[in-house]
């Protein structure tokens, strides 16, 4: 397979050439050209070349981008870790993915779950000004087979701990090239975003995307509308974000003419990871004259559909299938295709194509269950199709999956964490609509001692410390019993707070 990053290969071949001098990555006041990225990532790739699998302490920094590029050059699968993950989540991911070493920025303190691993510092400064001094990695990235695993990204299911989706090199190349076609995305584009770097959206689309095109990315470190204004006013051409970020932009716009002006200049504003409400689409369009376009993807499938840059933007839809992606809607039985393009008939979205993952690590049962017998991946997303093929997502099959701030969160893992609190006898978790987060996590608790129930903050801290802060309940209701059916199963639909 050819190199994932032709511009980097070019910079390696000619360290003084034009390609090498082009800007690649910028995080705050720290940046790397393609030449500097090569000089930093190639020695690191040589260092990790023999490793089986490597964990990356995926802070929103230059170091994470360099580490992932190094792993991809070396052909060693990288497991990006959320640096805010709690002990039990990290423990699970490390035990399941069994990395041989962990890459982290120098000076970052790693939690106990990682201290047994060999640590390699990602020292961007050390190799920055010079050409690559270490030998090239034993295997050059262009010699690697398309099926070589590139990343293992952990993603929540309805029950149990997160599963590691194994993403091969061909899926990354395919999805990024399909997006280039749909968005007319070139090396002249400068992307701005403030997404986390341990998920597909921020890492594959937001970092590897610009690098594959030979363009550049400016990462905000953390999302703030002021950073969006600054970057789009000074040369950035594209913005990627989750709906919560666009909601915050829509809220800010009435009092911030500079933000409106900056957004109006952008070539492309893209939202994904969850549905962007039509109201936010409208507010942004009215204030800026620009329409946000949506694309639809999943950790397991990378990107499936998008509104095209040369197509008609339509709020409430995720556009049309990307080149190479097979997409069908199926009836309740999961195999009979829905033929209608009537904007009304609902079916489950199933997809197939070279954009798909290979398997869930160590979970052949879950991998098999995710596909139909004839090889379609069941997304669990419910949709209709307009007469011209535009897909509208209308819901989700599983009520036990919550999308909050663009993060997918399984109710089951939060329930299990809550049950580990001594003050909790029974627990159920649901999602409810939230203007900012899309959905917020709600916990329904039967306390062990009704006279002294654990507080909302205590339970939020408990879940944040064990799993991750974005999985913490925002609201807690206290009940005497949970509603159960004759089989003893909790009836979540009966959980209402009024
Ligand atoms: C508050 N905090 C706490 C606690 N309470 N920390 C520990 N314990 C507590 N009890 C901290 C948080 O860590 C955070 O810290 C700060 O308080 C605010 O937290 P919160 O309100 O939760 O978040 P936010 O900062 O308002 O986040 C909104 C966000 C975020 C920025 C939109 O949700 C986000 O980055 N979402 C992106 C999700 C994403 O990338 N999804 C892609 C997966 P601090 O301020 O220090 O951080 S989906 C995907 O990849 C597919 C393929 C797709 O289609 O894209
Ligand atoms: P994740 O597993 O975290 O990769 O999240 C994937 C899920 O995010 C999909 O199955 C959809 O439910 C949801 N999703 C992603 N993009 C969109 C979008 N543009 N509109 C609605 N839902 C989306």
């Amino acid at each position: 397979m050819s190199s994932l990053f032709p511009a980097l290969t070019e910079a390696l071949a000619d360290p003084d050439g034009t390609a090498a001098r082009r800007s690649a990555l910028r995080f705050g006041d720290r940046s790397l050209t393609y030449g500097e990225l090569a000089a930093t990532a190639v020695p690191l790739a040589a260092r990790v070349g023999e490793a089986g699998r490597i964990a990356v302490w995926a802070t929103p920094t230059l170091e994470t981008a360099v580490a992932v590029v190094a792993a991809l050059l070396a052909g060693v699968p990288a497991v990006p870790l959320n640096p805010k993950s709690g002990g039990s989540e990290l423990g699970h991911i490390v035990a399941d993915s069994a990395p041989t070493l962990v890459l982290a920025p120098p000076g970052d303190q790693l939690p106990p779950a990682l201290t047994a691993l060999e640590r390699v510092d990602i020292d961007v400064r050390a190799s920055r000004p010079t050409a690559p001094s270490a030998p090239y990695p034993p295997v050059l990235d262009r010699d690697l087979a398309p099926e070589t695993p590139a990343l293992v990204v952990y993603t929540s299911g309805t029950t149990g701990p997160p599963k590691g989706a194994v993403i091969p090199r061909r899926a990354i190349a395919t999805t990024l090239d399909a997006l280039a076609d749909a968005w007319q995305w070139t090396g002249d584009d400068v992307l701005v975003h403030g997404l986390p770097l341990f998920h597909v959206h921020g890492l594959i689309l937001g970092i590897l995307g610009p690098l594959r095109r030979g363009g550049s990315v400016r990462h905000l470190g953390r999302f703030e509308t002021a950073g969006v204004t600054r970057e789009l006013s000074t040369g950035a051409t594209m913005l990627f974000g989750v709906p919560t970020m666009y909601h915050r932009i829509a809220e800010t716009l009435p009092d911030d003419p500079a933000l409106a002006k900056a957004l109006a200049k952008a070539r492309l504003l893209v939202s994904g990871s969850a549905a962007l409400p039509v109201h936010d689409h409208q507010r942004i369009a009215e204030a800026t004259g620009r329409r946000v376009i949506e694309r639809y993807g999943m950790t397991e499938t990378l990107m499936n559909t998008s509104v095209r840059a040369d197509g008609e933007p339509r709020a409430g839809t995720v556009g049309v299938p990307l080149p190479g992606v097979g997409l069908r809607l199926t009836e309740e039985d999961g195999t009979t295709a829905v033929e209608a393009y009537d904007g009304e008939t609902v079916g489950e979205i199933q997809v197939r194509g070279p954009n798909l993952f290979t398997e869930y690590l160590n979970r052949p049962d879950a991998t098999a269950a995710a596909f139909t017998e004839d090889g379609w991946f069941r997304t669990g997303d419910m949709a209709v199709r307009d007469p011209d093929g535009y897909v509208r997502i209308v819901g989700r099959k599983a009520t036990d999956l919550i999308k909050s701030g663009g993060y997918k969160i399984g109710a089951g893992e939060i329930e299990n964490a809550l049950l580990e609190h001594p003050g909790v006898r029974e627990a159920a978790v649901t999602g409810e609509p939230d203007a900012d987060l899309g959905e917020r996590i709600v916990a329904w608790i039967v306390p062990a001692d009704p006279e002294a129930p654990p507080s909302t903050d205590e339970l939020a801290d408990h879940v944040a410390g064990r799993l991750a802060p974005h999985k913490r309940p925002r609201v807690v209701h206290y009940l005497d019993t949970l509603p159960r059916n004759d089989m003893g199963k909790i009836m979540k639909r009966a959980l209402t707070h009024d």
Side-chain angles (χ1 to χ4, degrees):
M1 180 176 167
S2 55
S3 170
L4 276 180
F5 310 114
L8 202 57
T9 313
E10 219 181 299
L12 269 173
D14 180 8
D16 298 317
T18 326
R21 290 198 303 272
R22 283 177 69 91
S23 173
L25 301 164
R26 198 170 92 190
F27 286 70
D29 56 5
R30 303 171 70 217
S31 60
L32 293 178
T33 61
Y34 277 88
E36 291 165 341
L37 177 58
T40 312
V42 169
L44 190 58
R47 169 73 182 79
V48 303
E50 301 298 309
R53 217 176 266 136
I54 58 179
V56 176
W57 190 240
T59 53
T61 61
L62 207 46
E63 278 77 5
T64 298
V66 167
V68 171
V69 168
L72 291 170
L73 288 177
V76 174
V79 187
L81 302 176
N82 175 359
K84 286 191 179 163
S85 279
S88 101
E89 183 164 288
L90 270 183
H92 161 71
I93 294 175
V94 169
D96 190 54
S97 61
T100 49
L101 49 85
V102 55
L103 295 182
D108 277 21
Q109 212 191 336
L110 299 183
L114 299 176
T115 43
L117 296 177
E118 184 191 348
R119 174 185 179 140
V120 173
D121 279 342
I122 313 157
D123 202 342
V124 171
R125 288 157 309 157
S127 40
R128 190 177 163 181
T130 54
S133 52
Y136 283 14
V139 188
L140 261 183
D141 118 279
R142 63 172 169 265
D143 296 332
L144 294 165
E147 292 307 309
T148 309
L151 292 165
V152 181
V153 179
Y154 277 79
T155 181
S156 291
T158 49
T159 56
K163 302 186 286 285
V166 179
I167 298 171
R169 300 171 67 79
R170 58 104 180 118
I172 294 176
T174 304
T175 222
L176 294 177
D177 294 350
L179 292 178
D181 177 81
W183 297 343
Q184 298 167 2
W185 187 0
T186 72
D188 292 333
D189 278 304
V190 178
L191 173 66
V192 54
H193 74 89
L195 292 155
L197 300 188
F198 46 86
H199 276 310
V200 165
H201 193 168
L203 182 61
I204 298 187
L205 271 59
I207 299 291
L208 305 184
L211 296 181
R212 182 155 175 85
R213 299 274 73 81
S216 68
V217 52
R218 301 180 189 169
H219 194 280
L220 299 173
R222 57 177 299 143
F223 175 80
E224 270 163 353
T225 54
V228 173
T229 305
R230 185 183 61 243
E231 299 307 335
L232 287 178
S233 311
T234 54
T237 62
M238 296 168 87
L239 172 67
F240 290 176
V242 294
T244 301
M245 295 171 180
Y246 284 102
H247 175 77
R248 293 179 185 180
I249 285 173
E251 293 278 289
T252 309
L253 277 169
D255 303 315
D256 192 343
L259 176 60
K261 206 168 144 206
L263 289 166
K265 280 170 73 172
R267 189 179 76 75
L268 213 59
L269 308 173
V270 187
S271 174
S273 302
L276 180 64
V278 171
H279 178 55
D280 288 332
H281 269 287
Q282 284 167 344
R283 291 196 292 172
I284 293 170
E286 276 159 24
T288 68
R290 300 306 309 271
R291 311 276 292 271
V292 177
I293 64 163
E294 286 193 70
R295 93 303 181 277
Y296 158 64
M298 235 178 135
T299 304
E300 292 88 334
T301 66
L302 306 189
M303 295 303 116
N304 297 313
T305 71
S306 184
V307 172
R308 297 181 57 90
D310 56 4
E312 180 210 334
R314 200 177 299 163
T317 84
V318 293
V320 294
L322 289 166
V325 177
L327 182 146
R328 69 176 187 182
L329 302 185
T330 60
E331 292 177 9
E332 196 101 347
D333 63 7
T335 50
T336 310
V338 171
E339 303 296 345
Y341 283 75
D342 57 3
E344 273 177 23
T345 313
V346 178
E348 182 192 357
I349 301 177
Q350 296 187 348
V351 290
R352 64 179 179 194
N355 52 313
L356 263 57
F357 76 140
T358 321
E359 58 170 349
Y360 294 115
L361 194 65
N362 305 322
R363 294 293 305 276
D365 54 333
T367 307
F371 288 89
T372 63
E373 271 177 17
D374 51 350
W376 292 83
F377 177 78
R378 309 172 201 271
T379 66
D381 292 309
M382 307 301 289
V384 302
R385 269 175 314 205
D386 286 349
D388 56 2
Y390 273 52
V391 176
R392 285 176 194 271
I393 297 176
V394 296
R396 196 181 306 129
K397 244 181 156 173
T399 49
D400 275 348
L401 281 179
I402 300 162
K403 264 273 164 170
S404 189
Y407 288 111
K408 181 151 95 179
I409 304 164
E413 32 165 354
I414 307 175
E415 288 159 1
N416 290 340
L418 288 168
L419 287 169
E420 285 169 25
H421 189 287
V424 174
R425 178 177 301 151
E426 290 184 79
V429 165
T430 57
E432 69 183 14
D434 184 281
D436 182 47
L437 297 171
E439 286 181 288
R440 62 177 161 258
I441 295 169
V442 181
W444 307 79
I445 297 296
V446 177
D449 177 0
E451 303 299 314
S455 70
T456 300
D457 284 351
E458 188 177 339
L459 293 174
D461 288 349
H462 173 82
V463 173
R466 243 152 238 259
L467 304 178
H470 65 264
K471 297 182 179 177
R472 70 189 191 275
R474 310 277 173 148
V475 180
V476 179
H477 297 292
Y478 301 89
L479 304 175
D480 296 334
T481 53
L482 292 180
R484 292 180 186 271
N485 64 15
D486 293 346
M487 311 289 289
K489 193 172 177 297
I490 299 168
M491 295 189 297
K492 292 204 174 173
R493 285 183 210 287
L495 291 169
T496 51
H497 52 275
D498 40 33

